[in-house]
Amino acid sequence: MTLNESSVFPFAALVGQQPLQEALLLAAVDPALGGVLVTGPRGTAKSTAARALAELLPEGRFVTLPLGASEEQLIGTLDIESALRDGGVKFSPGLLAKAHRGVLYVDEVNLLPNPLVDQLLDVAASGVNTVERDGISHRHEARFVLIGTMNPEEGELRPQLLDRFGLAVELGNCFEASVRQDIVKARLAFDTDSQAFRERHAREQAALAQRIHDARAQLANLDFDDAVHARVSELCIAAQVDGLRADLVMLRAARALAAFESAHAIGVEHVERIAQSVLKHRRREGEKPQQSQSQAHANPPASDADWGYLPPEPVETATVKNVRPLQPKKSLSHRRPGPEAEAGRLRWLESQPAGRTITREGRASRSIDWMQTLRAKRHAPLEARHVRFRRKGGEGAALYCFVLDCSGSMLAGKRLALAKGLLVALFDRAYRERAEVALVCFGGGRAEVRRQPGAAHWWNEHWVAPIGGGGGTPLALGVRTAANVLARASRKRPAQERWLWLLTDGRTSDTPSRPVDADRVVIVDFERDAIRLGRCASLAEAWDAQYSSADDLVYGFSQYQRGV
């Protein structure tokens, strides 16, 4: 869409956002950089800056990609109206085509399905959208400035997707009184009389738009000398980045900066100024390029202080090998809900964004294969019996959300050490299954998400090694924190199977509620005292969950390893 100028805050009037403004301007000069990823809390002017940038571009287009968008909405698809009316095949452009020569804005990009993000970043880097589906082969230009925003507390992007974003900027809350006052004064002035405010900044706006135009024309005239290449290689090696994309992006960004500043040559100083935004999201800290698992354990990526967690001393980790995730009891299989629950679920599903077909079982069905549907229809009016669906692909690996009790009672008898060893083995098993994992730790009156949902890796041990223990057992708080993690994962990938693994001795007086978004629950009981309270078994019965004592589980794993 084309922006309504009177509602757009001028880019030149933004206050206290210099790193973000610079990154956006560089992406506007050279959209092939791959876009800008902006992280930070709410209320830090992320969307305001994105809309302001669009106004500086020739077409002034600003397109928002909603979280509920389908693949067809993004890349384009068959024009259904034309196909049904004329029987012909005609391409209907998607959001990528509409954003051509403008800005494509994705709020909470970390909550988009990974395949959609992958396609989005592919087109952002290449500038071309190619559609091969439903018997259609279509190709069109899609050169736009991609701006993605995310709040890290809502979940992370896979490293492979992070690497595809050209630049990254991290915004924080402003605690400098004078800057906060300037921001508020500017916003109030704009809200009071937007036209007068925009007129005061019209000359600066025009100058910025002209600089972007001139810089684009200047790009082809600038080349890199050996000193620039050498500095780029040095910085990327020091950051231990994977692959060579960082080198290429850094060179492009340095060239865009030199062009924007009307420099006659690209200098090392240009590289230094943009290095942080290129490497911030690609840097591998606390890890050697060729590390083994044992080295990763010996060199964790952060201290306990960096984790922001309370434990006084890290607890040793016991070793448990070859863990096989438990199969749920038959009683855990999904039961048919009653009429009221079924009706409520259907109402919720019907309220979801268009682009999905909902079955009576409440699952998102396969997308329609329109070419096969038209062949089945032939010359007859389209009816439900003519509709054909594509074969349903995999819905993605399961998510294992582990909730670890780090309270003082878990320190007795080295329970926490055993739990950590079991956790490492479970992470390793999840890696082999290509599953996603999340980790919540609770103890001492606090609960904390130590690992947001993401793909498991072979070096998962370094997530566990720094964990210590102490304090009370806020079991209900830990479960509620995990429930929030699962709820966000459910919104991002509704069809994903979500497991909750609760590792605890159950020595608490509070009784948590079962997380609604957990498809399957496993409670591992670490109570080993002579007099046992049996609270884990009671909780498993109340939740209709899979129950196992830690010792029996470890014994079962060892038997599995021996092939018994």
Side-chain angles (χ1 to χ4, degrees), residues 417-534:
L418 178 62
K420 290 170 62 178
L422 181 61
L423 195 58
V424 170
L426 286 167
F427 272 25
D428 181 65
R429 185 70 184 188
Y431 167 69
R432 298 180 198 178
E433 294 180 356
R434 297 300 184 262
E436 292 187 343
V437 294
L439 175 60
V440 174
C441 294
F442 66 91
R446 295 180 56 188
E448 173 177 49
V449 181
R450 286 217 171 178
R451 197 197 193 295
Q452 294 285 355
H457 303 290
W458 61 264
W459 61 86
N460 280 298
E461 195 170 353
H462 74 218
W463 291 102
V464 180
I467 296 175
T473 311
L475 180 59
L477 178 60
V479 173
R480 284 199 303 271
T481 304
N484 292 335
V485 172
L486 292 169
R488 289 193 295 267
S490 176
R491 292 195 297 271
K492 181 178 179 181
R493 301 174 67 179
Q496 184 182 47
E497 185 179 49
R498 291 171 294 280
W499 290 62
L500 176 75
W501 286 73
L502 177 58
L503 288 70
T504 180
D505 59 5
R507 288 190 167 263
T508 180
S509 58
D510 55 6
T511 304
S513 301
R514 186 187 193 278
V516 175
D517 290 294
D519 297 311
R520 301 180 181 182
V521 178
V522 180
I523 298 179
V524 184
D525 187 357
F526 285 84
E527 189 176 33
R528 288 172 142 182
D529 301 278
I531 300 176
R532 302 193 178 190
L533 302 179

Side-chain angles (χ1 to χ4, degrees), residues 234-385:
E234 182 182 350
L235 289 169
C236 291
I237 290 172
Q240 301 181 15
V241 298
D242 289 322
L244 295 172
R245 184 175 281 118
D247 302 65
L248 294 171
V249 171
M250 193 177 296
L251 288 168
R252 283 182 174 274
R255 181 177 62 182
L257 179 59
F260 185 75
E261 295 185 342
S262 302
H264 298 293
I266 306 168
V268 172
E269 66 275 10
H270 296 120
V271 175
E272 300 286 354
R273 286 171 56 187
I274 53 85
Q276 174 68 3
S277 59
V278 174
L279 298 176
K280 183 174 185 58
H281 55 307
R282 297 182 170 93
R283 183 177 286 110
R284 295 170 58 189
E285 297 178 342
E287 181 185 342
K288 299 298 183 183
Q290 302 296 327
Q291 266 187 325
S292 65
Q293 288 194 32
S294 61
Q295 289 173 318
H297 174 78
N299 298 285
S303 67
D304 282 320
D306 296 326
W307 288 97
Y309 194 59
L310 57 95
E313 293 292 338
V315 177
E316 63 177 326
T317 305
T319 302
V320 180
K321 297 183 179 179
N322 290 331
V323 174
R324 167 181 279 182
L326 295 178
Q327 297 301 317
K329 301 183 298 183
K330 290 184 179 180
S331 61
L332 278 178
S333 60
H334 296 289
R335 290 190 278 270
R336 189 73 175 177
E340 294 183 2
E342 177 72 3
R345 182 163 60 175
L346 283 174
R347 283 195 297 272
W348 178 84
L349 289 166
E350 288 165 0
S351 70
Q352 298 308 294
R356 289 185 167 182
T357 302
I358 304 301
T359 67
R360 282 199 57 78
E361 288 74 21
R363 287 185 174 273
S365 77
R366 297 163 289 179
S367 56
I368 296 176
D369 187 331
W370 287 106
M371 292 305 296
Q372 296 299 327
T373 298
L374 291 174
R375 291 191 182 100
K377 176 184 94 69
R378 296 185 182 275
H379 301 294
L382 181 64
E383 298 176 5
R385 61 187 176 87

